[in-house]
Amino acid sequence: MMMFSHAPAGYICPFCLLCAGIENEHVLSVQADVFYRDDDITAFIAATCYPNNKGHVLIIPNMHVENIYTLPDDLTAKIHAFSRRVALALKAVYGCDGVSTRQHNEPCGYQDVWHYHLHVFARYAGDQLYACKDELLPPAERAVYAGKLREYFARG
């Protein structure tokens, strides 16, 4: 199988750091953003947000996999099964009107972190998600969203 790798030489993966519990200048996310972790995957509130869709979720494999082309089938299944659980959580906790998922691969596919990740967005009528520019959501605001989802998943 061909490798479709675009990570630059010496790349420091922010998502690998997050999975390892490391917070430093190479990662925007903090441990308080994480609301779910098991042996294979981690889910957390994204450090960036869109003005009308704050608190969107990223689901990542704990092992370093750059993109969908090399993501093992068992992790693909686990991530996408968990995205369904996240979608239900967003409906219950955020009271959203719908949910969107998206995933990017390679520079032309708009991938900008060289570690596979699936976005799960709460959607609202007229939210203009795809017409807005993302912005950094302060850690204290992310913690509120993560806390709500952590509580939801703690209930089972």
Side-chain angles (χ1 to χ4, degrees):
M1 177 184 347
M2 289 186 71
M3 293 283 295
F4 298 98
S5 178
H6 297 278
Y11 182 66
I12 298 171
C13 179
F15 292 167
C16 286
L17 293 174
L18 182 68
C19 287
I22 298 169
E23 295 180 12
N24 64 25
E25 70 276 9
H26 299 290
V27 59
L28 292 174
S29 299
V30 295
Q31 292 303 302
D33 298 338
V34 176
F35 64 86
Y36 179 87
R37 179 179 283 137
D38 66 22
D39 291 340
D40 300 311
I41 64 173
T42 296
F44 58 99
I45 301 301
T48 58
C49 72
Y50 295 83
N52 301 317
N53 306 84
K54 293 182 178 180
H56 90 271
V57 171
L58 295 178
I59 306 170
I60 62 173
N62 294 341
M63 66 182 274
H64 185 79
V65 177
E66 183 170 321
N67 51 44
I68 199 168
Y69 310 121
T70 56
L71 186 67
D73 289 346
D74 61 329
L75 279 177
T76 300
K78 188 161 188 177
I79 289 166
H80 286 272
F82 192 70
S83 74
R84 177 185 168 279
R85 292 179 62 199
V86 169
L88 291 167
L90 295 180
K91 292 288 291 175
V93 175
Y94 293 8
C96 56
D97 301 319
V99 174
S100 290
T101 62
R102 71 181 188 199
Q103 195 274 317
H104 308 278
N105 300 282
E106 300 185 272
C108 286
Y110 298 108
Q111 184 176 10
D112 59 2
V113 175
W114 309 114
H115 186 123
Y116 177 91
H117 53 288
L118 179 68
H119 297 260
V120 186
F121 291 92
R123 298 299 307 273
Y124 305 92
D127 64 19
Q128 300 289 309
L129 173 65
Y130 300 114
C132 296
K133 181 162 175 33
D134 64 338
E135 55 193 38
L136 189 62
L137 188 63
E141 287 186 52
R142 296 193 312 255
V144 172
Y145 292 102
K148 290 177 182 181
L149 291 173
R150 196 176 297 113
E151 183 179 305
Y152 176 90
F153 282 99
R155 292 192 300 254

